Coordinates of all heavy atoms in Angstrom, one line a residue:
M30 N -8.5 -31.1 -23.2 CA -8.5 -32.5 -23.6 C -7.0 -33.0 -23.7 O -6.2 -32.4 -24.2 CB -9.2 -32.7 -24.9 CG -9.3 -34.2 -25.3 SD -10.5 -34.5 -26.6 CE -9.5 -34.2 -28.1
A31 N -6.8 -34.1 -23.1 CA -5.4 -34.7 -23.1 C -5.1 -35.2 -24.5 O -5.9 -35.7 -25.2 CB -5.3 -35.8 -22.1
A32 N -3.8 -35.1 -24.8 CA -3.3 -35.6 -26.1 C -3.2 -37.1 -26.1 O -3.1 -37.7 -25.0 CB -2.0 -34.9 -26.5
N33 N -3.2 -37.7 -27.2 CA -3.0 -39.1 -27.4 C -1.6 -39.5 -26.9 O -0.7 -38.8 -27.2 CB -3.2 -39.5 -28.8 CG -3.0 -40.9 -29.1 OD1 -2.7 -41.7 -28.3 ND2 -3.2 -41.3 -30.4
P34 N -1.5 -40.5 -26.0 CA -0.1 -40.9 -25.5 C 0.9 -41.1 -26.6 O 2.1 -40.8 -26.4 CB -0.4 -42.1 -24.7 CG -1.8 -42.1 -24.3 CD -2.5 -41.3 -25.5
V35 N 0.5 -41.7 -27.7 CA 1.4 -42.0 -28.8 C 1.9 -40.7 -29.4 O 3.1 -40.5 -29.7 CB 0.8 -42.9 -29.9 CG1 1.7 -43.0 -31.1 CG2 0.5 -44.3 -29.3
A36 N 1.0 -39.7 -29.5 CA 1.4 -38.4 -30.1 C 2.3 -37.7 -29.1 O 3.3 -37.0 -29.5 CB 0.1 -37.5 -30.3
R37 N 2.1 -37.8 -27.8 CA 3.0 -37.2 -26.8 C 4.4 -37.9 -26.9 O 5.4 -37.2 -26.8 CB 2.4 -37.3 -25.4 CG 1.3 -36.3 -25.2 CD 0.9 -36.3 -23.7 NE 0.0 -37.4 -23.5 CZ -0.4 -37.9 -22.4 NH1 0.1 -37.4 -21.3 NH2 -1.2 -38.9 -22.3
M38 N 4.4 -39.2 -27.1 CA 5.7 -39.9 -27.2 C 6.4 -39.4 -28.4 O 7.7 -39.1 -28.4 CB 5.5 -41.4 -27.3 CG 5.3 -42.1 -26.0 SD 5.3 -43.9 -26.2 CE 3.6 -44.2 -26.4
A39 N 5.7 -39.3 -29.5 CA 6.4 -38.8 -30.8 C 6.8 -37.4 -30.6 O 7.9 -37.0 -31.1 CB 5.4 -38.9 -31.9
A40 N 6.1 -36.5 -30.0 CA 6.5 -35.1 -29.8 C 7.7 -35.0 -28.9 O 8.7 -34.3 -29.2 CB 5.3 -34.3 -29.2
A41 N 7.8 -35.8 -27.8 CA 8.9 -35.8 -27.0 C 10.2 -36.3 -27.7 O 11.3 -35.8 -27.5 CB 8.7 -36.6 -25.7
S42 N 9.9 -37.3 -28.5 CA 11.0 -37.9 -29.3 C 11.6 -36.9 -30.3 O 12.8 -36.8 -30.5 CB 10.5 -39.2 -30.0 OG 11.6 -39.9 -30.6
A43 N 10.7 -36.2 -31.0 CA 11.1 -35.2 -31.9 C 11.9 -34.1 -31.3 O 12.9 -33.6 -31.8 CB 9.9 -34.7 -32.7
A44 N 11.4 -33.7 -30.1 CA 12.1 -32.6 -29.4 C 13.5 -33.0 -29.0 O 14.5 -32.3 -29.1 CB 11.3 -32.2 -28.1
C45 N 13.7 -34.3 -28.5 CA 15.0 -34.8 -28.2 C 15.9 -34.9 -29.4 O 17.0 -34.5 -29.4 CB 14.8 -36.2 -27.6 SG 16.4 -36.9 -27.2
F46 N 15.3 -35.3 -30.5 CA 16.0 -35.4 -31.8 C 16.6 -34.0 -32.2 O 17.7 -33.9 -32.6 CB 15.1 -35.9 -32.9 CG 15.7 -35.9 -34.3 CD1 16.7 -36.7 -34.6 CD2 15.1 -35.0 -35.2 CE1 17.2 -36.6 -35.9 CE2 15.6 -35.0 -36.5 CZ 16.7 -35.8 -36.9
V47 N 15.7 -33.0 -32.1 CA 16.2 -31.6 -32.4 C 17.3 -31.2 -31.5 O 18.3 -30.6 -31.9 CB 14.9 -30.6 -32.4 CG1 15.4 -29.2 -32.5 CG2 14.0 -31.0 -33.5
L48 N 17.1 -31.5 -30.2 CA 18.2 -31.1 -29.3 C 19.5 -31.7 -29.6 O 20.6 -31.1 -29.6 CB 17.7 -31.5 -27.9 CG 18.7 -31.2 -26.7 CD1 18.9 -29.7 -26.6 CD2 18.3 -31.8 -25.5
V49 N 19.5 -33.0 -29.9 CA 20.7 -33.7 -30.3 C 21.3 -33.1 -31.6 O 22.5 -32.9 -31.7 CB 20.5 -35.2 -30.4 CG1 21.7 -35.9 -31.0 CG2 20.2 -35.8 -29.0
L50 N 20.5 -32.8 -32.5 CA 21.0 -32.2 -33.8 C 21.6 -30.8 -33.6 O 22.5 -30.5 -34.2 CB 19.9 -32.2 -34.8 CG 19.6 -33.5 -35.5 CD1 18.6 -33.3 -36.6 CD2 20.9 -34.2 -36.1
L51 N 21.0 -30.1 -32.7 CA 21.5 -28.7 -32.4 C 22.9 -28.8 -31.8 O 23.8 -28.0 -32.1 CB 20.6 -28.0 -31.5 CG 19.3 -27.5 -32.1 CD1 18.4 -26.8 -31.0 CD2 19.6 -26.5 -33.2
V52 N 23.1 -29.8 -31.0 CA 24.4 -30.0 -30.4 C 25.4 -30.7 -31.3 O 26.6 -30.2 -31.4 CB 24.3 -30.9 -29.1 CG1 25.7 -31.3 -28.5 CG2 23.5 -30.2 -28.1
S53 N 25.0 -31.6 -32.1 CA 25.9 -32.4 -33.0 C 26.1 -31.9 -34.4 O 27.1 -32.1 -35.0 CB 25.5 -33.8 -33.0 OG 24.3 -34.0 -33.7
G54 N 25.1 -31.1 -34.9 CA 25.2 -30.6 -36.3 C 24.3 -31.4 -37.2 O 24.0 -32.5 -37.0
L55 N 24.0 -30.7 -38.3 CA 23.0 -31.3 -39.3 C 23.7 -32.4 -40.1 O 22.9 -33.2 -40.7 CB 22.5 -30.2 -40.2 CG 21.6 -29.2 -39.5 CD1 21.1 -28.1 -40.5 CD2 20.4 -29.9 -38.9
E56 N 25.0 -32.5 -40.2 CA 25.6 -33.5 -41.0 C 25.4 -34.9 -40.4 O 25.7 -35.9 -41.0 CB 27.1 -33.2 -41.2 CG 27.9 -33.3 -40.0 CD 27.9 -32.0 -39.2 OE1 27.3 -31.0 -39.6 OE2 28.6 -32.0 -38.1
T57 N 24.9 -35.0 -39.2 CA 24.7 -36.3 -38.5 C 23.2 -36.6 -38.4 O 22.8 -37.4 -37.5 CB 25.3 -36.2 -37.1 OG1 24.7 -35.2 -36.4 CG2 26.8 -35.9 -37.2
I58 N 22.4 -36.1 -39.3 CA 21.0 -36.3 -39.2 C 20.6 -37.8 -39.3 O 19.6 -38.2 -38.6 CB 20.2 -35.4 -40.3 CG1 18.8 -35.3 -39.9 CG2 20.4 -36.0 -41.7 CD1 18.1 -34.2 -40.7
A59 N 21.2 -38.5 -40.1 CA 20.9 -40.0 -40.3 C 21.1 -40.7 -39.0 O 20.3 -41.5 -38.5 CB 21.6 -40.6 -41.4
A60 N 22.2 -40.5 -38.3 CA 22.5 -41.1 -37.1 C 21.5 -40.7 -36.0 O 21.1 -41.5 -35.2 CB 24.0 -40.8 -36.6
G61 N 21.1 -39.4 -36.0 CA 20.1 -39.0 -35.0 C 18.8 -39.6 -35.3 O 18.1 -40.0 -34.3
L62 N 18.4 -39.8 -36.5 CA 17.1 -40.4 -36.9 C 17.1 -41.9 -36.4 O 16.1 -42.4 -35.9 CB 16.9 -40.3 -38.4 CG 16.2 -39.1 -38.8 CD1 16.1 -39.0 -40.3 CD2 14.8 -38.9 -38.2
F63 N 18.2 -42.6 -36.7 CA 18.3 -44.0 -36.3 C 18.2 -44.1 -34.8 O 17.6 -45.0 -34.2 CB 19.6 -44.7 -36.8 CG 19.5 -45.1 -38.2 CD1 20.4 -44.6 -39.2 CD2 18.5 -46.0 -38.6 CE1 20.3 -45.0 -40.5 CE2 18.5 -46.4 -40.0 CZ 19.3 -45.9 -40.9
G64 N 18.8 -43.2 -34.1 CA 18.8 -43.2 -32.6 C 17.4 -42.9 -32.1 O 17.1 -43.3 -31.0
M65 N 16.6 -42.1 -32.9 CA 15.3 -41.8 -32.4 C 14.2 -42.8 -32.8 O 13.4 -43.2 -32.0 CB 14.9 -40.4 -33.0 CG 13.4 -40.0 -32.7 SD 12.9 -38.6 -33.6 CE 12.4 -39.3 -35.2
L66 N 14.3 -43.3 -34.0 CA 13.2 -44.1 -34.6 C 13.1 -45.5 -33.9 O 12.0 -46.0 -33.7 CB 13.4 -44.3 -36.1 CG 13.1 -43.0 -36.9 CD1 13.4 -43.2 -38.4 CD2 11.7 -42.4 -36.6
G67 N 14.3 -46.1 -33.6 CA 14.2 -47.4 -33.0 C 13.5 -47.4 -31.7 O 12.5 -48.2 -31.5
P68 N 14.0 -46.6 -30.7 CA 13.3 -46.6 -29.4 C 11.8 -46.1 -29.5 O 10.9 -46.6 -28.8 CB 14.1 -45.6 -28.6 CG 15.4 -45.6 -29.2 CD 15.2 -45.8 -30.6
L69 N 11.5 -45.2 -30.4 CA 10.2 -44.7 -30.6 C 9.3 -45.8 -31.1 O 8.2 -46.0 -30.6 CB 10.1 -43.5 -31.5 CG 8.7 -42.9 -31.8 CD1 8.1 -42.4 -30.5 CD2 8.8 -41.8 -32.8
A70 N 9.7 -46.6 -32.1 CA 9.0 -47.7 -32.6 C 8.7 -48.7 -31.5 O 7.6 -49.3 -31.5 CB 9.7 -48.3 -33.8
V71 N 9.7 -49.0 -30.7 CA 9.5 -50.0 -29.7 C 8.5 -49.5 -28.6 O 7.6 -50.3 -28.2 CB 10.9 -50.3 -29.0 CG1 10.7 -51.1 -27.7 CG2 11.8 -51.1 -30.0
A72 N 8.6 -48.3 -28.2 CA 7.7 -47.7 -27.2 C 6.2 -47.7 -27.8 O 5.3 -48.0 -27.1 CB 8.1 -46.3 -26.9
V73 N 6.1 -47.2 -29.0 CA 4.7 -47.2 -29.6 C 4.1 -48.6 -29.8 O 3.0 -48.8 -29.4 CB 4.7 -46.4 -30.9 CG1 3.4 -46.6 -31.7 CG2 5.0 -44.9 -30.7
G74 N 5.0 -49.5 -30.2 CA 4.5 -50.9 -30.4 C 4.1 -51.5 -29.1 O 3.1 -52.2 -29.0
T75 N 4.9 -51.3 -28.0 CA 4.6 -51.8 -26.7 C 3.3 -51.2 -26.2 O 2.4 -51.9 -25.7 CB 5.7 -51.5 -25.7 OG1 6.9 -52.2 -26.2 CG2 5.4 -52.0 -24.4
W76 N 3.1 -49.9 -26.3 CA 1.9 -49.2 -25.9 C 0.7 -49.8 -26.5 O -0.3 -50.1 -25.9 CB 2.0 -47.7 -26.1 CG 0.8 -46.9 -25.6 CD1 -0.3 -46.7 -26.3 CD2 0.7 -46.4 -24.3 NE1 -1.2 -46.0 -25.5 CE2 -0.6 -45.8 -24.2 CE3 1.5 -46.3 -23.2 CZ2 -1.1 -45.2 -23.1 CZ3 1.1 -45.7 -22.1 CH2 -0.2 -45.1 -22.0
V77 N 0.7 -49.9 -27.8 CA -0.4 -50.4 -28.6 C -0.8 -51.8 -28.2 O -1.9 -52.2 -28.0 CB -0.2 -50.3 -30.1 CG1 -1.3 -51.0 -30.9 CG2 -0.1 -48.8 -30.5
A78 N 0.3 -52.7 -28.1 CA 0.0 -54.1 -27.7 C -0.6 -54.2 -26.3 O -1.5 -55.0 -26.1 CB 1.3 -54.9 -27.8
V79 N 0.0 -53.4 -25.4 CA -0.5 -53.5 -24.0 C -2.0 -52.9 -23.9 O -2.8 -53.5 -23.2 CB 0.4 -52.8 -23.0 CG1 -0.2 -52.6 -21.6 CG2 1.7 -53.5 -22.9
E80 N -2.2 -51.9 -24.6 CA -3.5 -51.3 -24.6 C -4.6 -52.2 -25.2 O -5.7 -52.4 -24.6 CB -3.5 -49.9 -25.4 CG -4.8 -49.1 -25.2 CD -4.6 -47.7 -25.8 OE1 -4.8 -47.6 -27.0 OE2 -4.2 -46.8 -25.1
R81 N -4.3 -52.8 -26.3 CA -5.2 -53.8 -26.9 C -5.4 -55.0 -26.0 O -6.6 -55.5 -25.9 CB -4.7 -54.2 -28.3 CG -4.8 -53.1 -29.3 CD -4.4 -53.6 -30.7 NE -4.5 -52.5 -31.6 CZ -4.0 -52.6 -32.9 NH1 -3.4 -53.7 -33.3 NH2 -4.2 -51.6 -33.7
T82 N -4.4 -55.5 -25.4 CA -4.5 -56.7 -24.6 C -5.3 -56.3 -23.3 O -6.2 -57.1 -22.9 CB -3.1 -57.2 -24.1 OG1 -2.4 -57.5 -25.3 CG2 -3.2 -58.4 -23.2
H83 N -5.1 -55.1 -22.8 CA -5.9 -54.7 -21.6 C -7.4 -54.6 -21.9 O -8.2 -55.0 -21.1 CB -5.3 -53.4 -21.1 CG -6.0 -53.0 -19.8 ND1 -7.1 -52.2 -19.8 CD2 -5.8 -53.3 -18.5 CE1 -7.5 -52.0 -18.5 NE2 -6.7 -52.7 -17.7
A84 N -7.7 -54.1 -23.1 CA -9.1 -54.0 -23.5 C -9.7 -55.3 -23.7 O -10.9 -55.5 -23.4 CB -9.2 -53.1 -24.8
R85 N -9.0 -56.3 -24.2 CA -9.5 -57.6 -24.5 C -9.5 -58.5 -23.2 O -10.5 -59.1 -23.0 CB -8.7 -58.3 -25.6 CG -9.2 -59.6 -26.1 CD -8.3 -60.2 -27.1 NE -7.1 -60.7 -26.5 CZ -5.9 -60.3 -26.8 NH1 -5.7 -59.4 -27.7 NH2 -4.9 -60.8 -26.2
A86 N -8.4 -58.6 -22.5 CA -8.3 -59.5 -21.4 C -7.2 -58.9 -20.4 O -6.0 -59.2 -20.5 CB -7.8 -60.8 -21.8
P87 N -7.7 -58.1 -19.5 CA -6.7 -57.4 -18.5 C -5.8 -58.3 -17.8 O -4.7 -58.0 -17.5 CB -7.7 -56.6 -17.6 CG -8.9 -56.5 -18.3 CD -9.0 -57.7 -19.2
E88 N -6.3 -59.5 -17.5 CA -5.5 -60.5 -16.7 C -4.2 -61.0 -17.5 O -3.3 -61.5 -16.9 CB -6.3 -61.6 -16.2 CG -6.8 -62.6 -17.3 CD -8.1 -62.1 -18.0 OE1 -8.6 -61.0 -17.7 OE2 -8.5 -62.8 -19.0
Q89 N -4.2 -60.7 -18.8 CA -3.1 -61.2 -19.6 C -2.0 -60.1 -19.8 O -1.0 -60.4 -20.4 CB -3.6 -61.6 -21.0 CG -4.5 -62.9 -20.9 CD -5.0 -63.3 -22.3 OE1 -4.8 -62.6 -23.3 NE2 -5.6 -64.4 -22.4
V90 N -2.2 -59.0 -19.3 CA -1.2 -57.9 -19.5 C 0.1 -58.2 -18.9 O 1.2 -57.9 -19.5 CB -1.8 -56.5 -19.0 CG1 -0.7 -55.5 -18.9 CG2 -3.0 -56.1 -19.8
A91 N 0.2 -58.7 -17.7 CA 1.5 -59.0 -17.0 C 2.3 -60.0 -17.8 O 3.5 -59.8 -18.0 CB 1.2 -59.5 -15.6
G92 N 1.6 -61.1 -18.3 CA 2.3 -62.1 -19.1 C 2.9 -61.5 -20.4 O 4.0 -61.7 -20.9
L93 N 2.0 -60.6 -21.0 CA 2.5 -59.9 -22.3 C 3.7 -59.0 -22.0 O 4.6 -59.0 -22.8 CB 1.3 -59.1 -22.8 CG 1.7 -58.2 -24.0 CD1 2.0 -59.1 -25.3 CD2 0.6 -57.2 -24.3
M94 N 3.6 -58.3 -20.9 CA 4.8 -57.4 -20.6 C 6.1 -58.2 -20.4 O 7.1 -57.7 -20.8 CB 4.4 -56.5 -19.5 CG 3.3 -55.5 -19.8 SD 2.9 -54.4 -18.5 CE 4.4 -53.3 -18.6
I95 N 6.0 -59.3 -19.8 CA 7.2 -60.1 -19.6 C 7.7 -60.6 -20.9 O 8.9 -60.6 -21.2 CB 6.9 -61.3 -18.7 CG1 6.6 -60.8 -17.2 CG2 8.0 -62.4 -18.7 CD1 6.1 -61.9 -16.3
K96 N 6.8 -61.1 -21.8 CA 7.3 -61.5 -23.1 C 7.8 -60.3 -23.9 O 8.9 -60.5 -24.6 CB 6.1 -62.1 -23.9 CG 5.6 -63.4 -23.4 CD 4.4 -63.9 -24.1 CE 3.8 -65.1 -23.4 NZ 2.5 -65.5 -23.9
L97 N 7.2 -59.2 -23.8 CA 7.7 -58.0 -24.6 C 9.1 -57.6 -24.0 O 10.0 -57.1 -24.8 CB 6.7 -56.8 -24.5 CG 5.5 -57.0 -25.3 CD1 4.5 -55.8 -24.9 CD2 5.8 -57.0 -26.7
F98 N 9.3 -57.7 -22.7 CA 10.6 -57.3 -22.1 C 11.7 -58.2 -22.7 O 12.7 -57.7 -23.1 CB 10.5 -57.5 -20.6 CG 11.8 -57.2 -19.9 CD1 12.3 -55.9 -19.8 CD2 12.6 -58.2 -19.4 CE1 13.5 -55.6 -19.2 CE2 13.8 -57.9 -18.8 CZ 14.2 -56.6 -18.7
G99 N 11.4 -59.5 -22.8 CA 12.4 -60.4 -23.4 C 12.7 -60.1 -24.8 O 13.8 -60.0 -25.3
A100 N 11.6 -59.8 -25.6 CA 11.8 -59.5 -27.0 C 12.5 -58.2 -27.2 O 13.4 -58.0 -28.1 CB 10.4 -59.4 -27.7
K101 N 12.3 -57.2 -26.3 CA 13.0 -55.9 -26.4 C 14.4 -56.0 -26.1 O 15.3 -55.4 -26.7 CB 12.3 -54.9 -25.5 CG 11.0 -54.4 -26.1 CD 10.5 -53.2 -25.3 CE 9.7 -53.6 -24.1 NZ 9.1 -52.5 -23.4
M102 N 14.8 -56.9 -25.1 CA 16.2 -57.1 -24.8 C 17.0 -57.6 -26.0 O 18.0 -57.1 -26.3 CB 16.3 -58.1 -23.6 CG 16.0 -57.5 -22.3 SD 16.1 -58.7 -20.9 CE 17.7 -59.4 -21.2
I103 N 16.4 -58.6 -26.6 CA 17.1 -59.2 -27.8 C 17.0 -58.2 -29.0 O 18.0 -57.9 -29.7 CB 16.5 -60.5 -28.1 CG1 16.7 -61.5 -27.0 CG2 17.0 -61.0 -29.5 CD1 15.9 -62.8 -27.1
G104 N 15.9 -57.7 -29.3 CA 15.7 -56.8 -30.4 C 16.5 -55.5 -30.4 O 17.1 -55.1 -31.3
I105 N 16.4 -54.8 -29.2 CA 17.2 -53.6 -29.1 C 18.7 -53.8 -29.1 O 19.4 -53.0 -29.7 CB 16.8 -52.8 -27.8 CG1 15.3 -52.3 -28.0 CG2 17.7 -51.7 -27.5 CD1 14.7 -51.6 -26.8
G106 N 19.1 -54.9 -28.5 CA 20.5 -55.3 -28.6 C 21.0 -55.5 -30.1 O 22.0 -55.0 -30.5
A107 N 20.2 -56.2 -30.8 CA 20.5 -56.4 -32.2 C 20.4 -55.1 -33.0 O 21.3 -54.9 -33.9 CB 19.6 -57.5 -32.8
Y108 N 19.5 -54.3 -32.7 CA 19.3 -53.0 -33.4 C 20.5 -52.1 -33.2 O 21.1 -51.6 -34.1 CB 18.0 -52.3 -33.0 CG 17.8 -51.0 -33.5 CD1 17.4 -50.8 -34.9 CD2 18.1 -49.8 -32.8 CE1 17.2 -49.5 -35.4 CE2 17.9 -48.6 -33.3 CZ 17.4 -48.4 -34.6 OH 17.3 -47.2 -35.2
V109 N 20.9 -52.0 -32.0 CA 22.1 -51.1 -31.6 C 23.3 -51.7 -32.3 O 24.1 -50.9 -32.9 CB 22.2 -51.0 -30.1 CG1 23.6 -50.3 -29.8 CG2 21.1 -50.2 -29.5
A110 N 23.6 -53.0 -32.2 CA 24.7 -53.6 -32.8 C 24.8 -53.3 -34.3 O 25.8 -53.0 -34.9 CB 24.8 -55.1 -32.5
A111 N 23.6 -53.5 -35.0 CA 23.5 -53.3 -36.4 C 23.8 -51.9 -36.8 O 24.5 -51.6 -37.8 CB 22.2 -53.8 -37.0
V112 N 23.2 -51.0 -36.1 CA 23.3 -49.6 -36.5 C 24.8 -49.1 -36.2 O 25.3 -48.4 -37.0 CB 22.3 -48.7 -35.7 CG1 22.6 -47.2 -35.9 CG2 20.9 -49.0 -36.2
L113 N 25.4 -49.5 -35.1 CA 26.7 -49.1 -34.8 C 27.7 -49.7 -35.9 O 28.7 -49.1 -36.2 CB 27.2 -49.6 -33.4 CG 26.5 -48.8 -32.3 CD1 26.9 -49.3 -31.0 CD2 26.9 -47.3 -32.4
L114 N 27.4 -50.9 -36.5 CA 28.3 -51.4 -37.5 C 28.1 -50.6 -38.8 O 29.1 -50.3 -39.5 CB 27.9 -52.9 -37.8 CG 28.4 -53.9 -36.8 CD1 27.8 -55.2 -37.1 CD2 29.9 -53.9 -36.7
V115 N 26.9 -50.1 -39.1 CA 26.7 -49.3 -40.3 C 27.2 -47.9 -40.2 O 27.8 -47.3 -41.1 CB 25.2 -49.4 -40.7 CG1 24.9 -48.5 -41.8 CG2 24.8 -50.8 -41.0
L116 N 26.9 -47.3 -39.0 CA 27.2 -45.9 -38.8 C 28.6 -45.7 -38.1 O 28.7 -45.2 -37.0 CB 26.2 -45.2 -38.0 CG 24.8 -45.0 -38.6 CD1 23.8 -44.4 -37.6 CD2 24.8 -44.2 -39.8
S117 N 29.6 -46.0 -38.8 CA 31.0 -45.9 -38.2 C 31.4 -44.5 -38.0 O 32.1 -44.2 -37.0 CB 32.0 -46.7 -39.0 OG 32.1 -46.1 -40.3
A118 N 30.9 -43.6 -38.8 CA 31.4 -42.2 -38.7 C 30.7 -41.4 -37.6 O 31.3 -40.5 -37.0 CB 31.2 -41.5 -40.0
H119 N 29.4 -41.6 -37.4 CA 28.6 -40.8 -36.5 C 28.1 -41.6 -35.3 O 26.9 -41.4 -34.9 CB 27.5 -40.1 -37.2 CG 28.0 -39.3 -38.4 ND1 28.7 -38.2 -38.2 CD2 27.8 -39.4 -39.7 CE1 29.0 -37.6 -39.3 NE2 28.5 -38.4 -40.3
R120 N 28.9 -42.4 -34.7 CA 28.4 -43.3 -33.6 C 28.0 -42.4 -32.4 O 27.1 -42.8 -31.7 CB 29.5 -44.3 -33.2 CG 29.7 -45.3 -34.2 CD 30.8 -46.3 -33.8 NE 30.8 -47.4 -34.8 CZ 31.8 -48.3 -34.8 NH1 32.7 -48.3 -33.9 NH2 31.7 -49.3 -35.7
V121 N 28.8 -41.4 -32.1 CA 28.5 -40.6 -30.9 C 27.1 -39.9 -31.0 O 26.3 -39.9 -30.0 CB 29.6 -39.5 -30.7 CG1 29.2 -38.6 -29.6 CG2 30.9 -40.2 -30.5
T122 N 26.7 -39.5 -32.2 CA 25.4 -38.9 -32.4 C 24.3 -39.9 -32.2 O 23.3 -39.7 -31.6 CB 25.3 -38.2 -33.8 OG1 26.3 -37.2 -33.9 CG2 23.9 -37.6 -34.0
F123 N 24.5 -41.1 -32.8 CA 23.5 -42.2 -32.6 C 23.4 -42.5 -31.1 O 22.2 -42.6 -30.6 CB 24.0 -43.4 -33.4 CG 23.1 -44.6 -33.0 CD1 21.8 -44.8 -33.4 CD2 23.7 -45.6 -32.2 CE1 21.1 -45.9 -33.1 CE2 22.9 -46.7 -31.8 CZ 21.6 -46.9 -32.3
V124 N 24.5 -42.7 -30.4 CA 24.4 -43.1 -29.0 C 23.7 -41.9 -28.2 O 22.9 -42.2 -27.3 CB 25.8 -43.4 -28.4 CG1 25.8 -43.6 -26.9 CG2 26.3 -44.7 -29.1
A125 N 24.0 -40.7 -28.5 CA 23.4 -39.6 -27.8 C 21.9 -39.5 -28.1 O 21.1 -39.4 -27.1 CB 24.1 -38.3 -28.2
S126 N 21.5 -39.7 -29.3 CA 20.1 -39.7 -29.6 C 19.4 -40.9 -29.1 O 18.3 -40.7 -28.5 CB 19.9 -39.7 -31.2 OG 18.6 -39.6 -31.5
F127 N 20.0 -42.0 -29.1 CA 19.4 -43.2 -28.6 C 19.2 -43.1 -27.1 O 18.1 -43.5 -26.5 CB 20.2 -44.4 -28.9 CG 19.6 -45.8 -28.6 CD1 18.8 -46.4 -29.5 CD2 19.9 -46.4 -27.4 CE1 18.2 -47.6 -29.2 CE2 19.4 -47.6 -27.1 CZ 18.5 -48.2 -27.9
T128 N 20.2 -42.6 -26.4 CA 20.2 -42.5 -25.0 C 19.2 -41.4 -24.5 O 18.4 -41.6 -23.6 CB 21.6 -42.1 -24.4 OG1 22.5 -43.1 -24.8 CG2 21.6 -42.0 -22.9
C129 N 19.1 -40.4 -25.3 CA 18.1 -39.3 -25.0 C 16.7 -39.8 -25.1 O 15.8 -39.3 -24.4 CB 18.4 -38.1 -25.9 SG 17.4 -36.7 -25.6
Q130 N 16.4 -40.8 -25.9 CA 15.1 -41.3 -26.1 C 14.6 -42.0 -24.8 O 13.4 -42.1 -24.6 CB 15.0 -42.2 -27.3 CG 15.3 -41.6 -28.6 CD 14.5 -40.3 -28.9 OE1 13.3 -40.3 -28.7 NE2 15.2 -39.3 -29.3
Y131 N 15.5 -42.5 -24.0 CA 15.1 -43.2 -22.8 C 15.2 -42.3 -21.7 O 14.7 -42.4 -20.6 CB 16.0 -44.4 -22.6 CG 15.6 -45.5 -23.5 CD1 16.4 -45.8 -24.7 CD2 14.5 -46.3 -23.3 CE1 16.0 -46.8 -25.5 CE2 14.2 -47.4 -24.2 CZ 14.9 -47.6 -25.3 OH 14.6 -48.6 -26.1

């Protein structure tokens, strides 16, 4: 039986998080978590919204995805800017973890 797609996303995200921590060290765990949780939350939220819309009205999925794309461009930009301002010491770990999630 195939695993739930959200569970697979979370498992892949956790594996990437562990990989980044093995390379960067445990003292950067907060930066690694911020790099992981933002993209994971966006991916899971998008998946759930598209799946629900498709079940209700499949013809509305394309419009929803366009709206979500615009929201993600603004939201992820703001998220990255905010985290980089707060995490001045461990920016490299955040960027590595964030990049690995994509």
Side-chain angles (χ1 to χ4, degrees):
M30 182 165 88
N33 181 355
V35 173
R37 283 189 278 166
M38 282 189 264
S42 187
C45 178
F46 171 69
V47 169
L48 178 68
V49 169
L50 283 185
L51 288 174
V52 173
S53 66
L55 292 177
E56 65 275 357
T57 61
I58 196 164
L62 275 174
F63 281 119
M65 177 189 79
L66 293 177
L69 180 61
V71 169
V73 169
T75 299
W76 182 272
V77 170
V79 169
E80 192 172 84
R81 286 182 180 172
T82 301
H83 185 267
R85 186 183 72 242
E88 68 277 0
Q89 294 180 352
V90 170
L93 173 68
M94 290 183 74
I95 291 170
K96 291 174 188 171
L97 288 173
F98 178 73
K101 286 190 276 188
M102 283 178 49
I103 295 168
I105 289 175
Y108 176 76
V109 170
V112 171
L113 288 177
L114 286 173
V115 172
L116 293 176
S117 59
H119 302 295
R120 289 180 175 172
V121 173
T122 302
F123 168 75
V124 171
S126 181
F127 188 85
T128 302
C129 185
Q130 300 304 315
Y131 286 99

